[in-house]
C-alpha cells in the first residue's frame, strides 16, 4: 500500500508539473530563444564570415567577435581578427543585414543580449604550411582574449570553416 501511495503521489506531481502553465511557458520560451540563437548563428556565419587573405603560411587562425542584440545591433571584434576580415566588415555593414534578418524572422529578445562567436579558419589546400593550432589555442585561452564573463554573454560553439586555397 505504501508503494502504491508513492506511485500515485509521483503521478500527481508529474501531472502538476506537466499542466502547470508557468513550467511549460518557461520551457516554451527557452525553446523559442534556442531556435532564435540557432537561426542567428547560421545567419552570422553567412553574413560575417568572409574568406581571409592568405598572407602567411599558417594552417589555422582564429578570432572572436561579440554581437550585442537589442534596440540596435553592434559588433566588436577581438584583437586577433585578421585585417582582411576587418576591411571587409567596414565595407559590408553586417549590422543592417542582421537587423533585417531578425525583423523578417520575428526574432526579438526581452532585453539586450550579448553573444560571443569564435571563428576557427582551417586551410585545406595541399600547401605546406606551418602547423600552428596549438599557438592559436594558446592565444585564445592562455593569453587571455578578453572574453566577457559567461553571466554577461552567451558563448556559442565555435564556428569552424574549411578554406580552399591555391594548390601548387
Amino acid at each position: 500500500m505504501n508503494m502504491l501511495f508513492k506511485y500515485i503521489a509521483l503521478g500527481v506531481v508529474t501531472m502538476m508539473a506537466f499542466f502547470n502553465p508557468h513550467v511549460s511557458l518557461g520551457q516554451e520560451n527557452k525553446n523559442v530563444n534556442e531556435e532564435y540563437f540557432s537561426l542567428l548563428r547560421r545567419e552570422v556565419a553567412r553574413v560575417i564570415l568572409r574568406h581571409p587573405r592568405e598572407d602567411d603560411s599558417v594552417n589555422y587562425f582564429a578570432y572572436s567577435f561579440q554581437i550585442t542584440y537589442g534596440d540596435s545591433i553592434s559588433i566588436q571584434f577581438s584583437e586577433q581578427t585578421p585585417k582582411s576580415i576587418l576591411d571587409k566588415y567596414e565595407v559590408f555593414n553586417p549590422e543592417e543585414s542582421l537587423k533585417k534578418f531578425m525583423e523578417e524572422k520575428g526574432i526579438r529578445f526581452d532585453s539586450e543580449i550579448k553573444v560571443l562567436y569564435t571563428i576557427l579558419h582551417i586551410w585545406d589546400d595541399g600547401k605546406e604550411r606551418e602547423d600552428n593550432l596549438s599557438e592559436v589555442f594558446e592565444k585564445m585561452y592562455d593569453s587571455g582574449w578578453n572574453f566577457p564573463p559567461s553571466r554577461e554573454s552567451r558563448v556559442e560553439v565555435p564556428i569552424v570553416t574549411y578554406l580552399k586555397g591555391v594548390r601548387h
Side-chain angles (χ1 to χ4, degrees):
M1 189 69 166
N2 194 14
M3 187 64 94
L4 179 62
F5 178 74
K6 285 182 180 177
Y7 284 124
I8 291 172
L10 180 61
V12 169
V13 170
T14 302
M15 286 177 53
M16 286 174 57
F18 183 77
F19 290 109
N20 183 342
H22 298 292
V23 173
S24 60
L25 181 61
Q27 184 62 35
E28 185 176 310
N29 285 341
K30 184 177 179 182
N31 290 342
V32 167
N33 278 350
E34 288 306 314
E35 178 65 23
Y36 287 168
F37 287 123
S38 177
L39 287 169
L40 284 170
R41 186 174 188 274
R42 285 190 295 255
E43 185 65 9
V44 163
R46 188 187 74 73
V47 170
I48 299 279
L49 300 181
R50 300 286 183 250
H51 196 300
R53 289 189 206 117
E54 298 183 64
D55 290 340
D56 53 23
S57 63
V58 299
N59 276 340
Y60 318 94
F61 73 89
Y63 59 96
S64 67
F65 54 93
Q66 178 179 283
I67 300 181
T68 304
Y69 299 103
D71 292 335
S72 63
I73 296 174
S74 64
I75 302 173
Q76 292 178 290
F77 287 90
S78 68
E79 292 176 11
Q80 291 75 15
T81 304
K83 184 175 178 342
S84 61
I85 298 291
L86 294 174
D87 290 346
K88 291 174 186 177
Y89 166 76
E90 291 293 324
V91 172
F92 183 61
N93 188 8
E95 287 96 340
E96 286 301 316
S97 180
L98 286 171
K99 187 173 184 172
K100 182 179 175 186
F101 176 80
M102 289 177 70
E103 289 170 1
E104 289 173 357
K105 298 294 183 184
I107 298 174
R108 284 184 207 80
F109 298 107
D110 294 336
S111 61
E112 184 176 274
I113 293 181
K114 295 178 182 183
V115 181
L116 181 73
Y117 298 91
T118 300
I119 309 300
L120 176 61
H121 289 297
I122 301 172
W123 270 284
D124 182 21
D125 62 1
K127 283 186 177 181
E128 288 197 24
R129 295 176 181 265
E130 174 189 341
D131 186 353
N132 66 314
L133 187 58
S134 62
E135 179 184 321
V136 165
F137 283 114
E138 181 179 317
K139 281 182 184 175
M140 285 176 66
Y141 300 111
D142 295 340
S143 297
W145 280 10
N146 293 325
F147 291 122
S150 59
R151 69 182 175 281
E152 294 176 16
S153 181
R154 175 187 173 91
V155 179
E156 284 288 341
V157 173
I159 299 171
V160 179
T161 62
Y162 295 93
L163 305 172
K164 297 290 182 187
V166 179
R167 292 185 183 268
H168 63 266

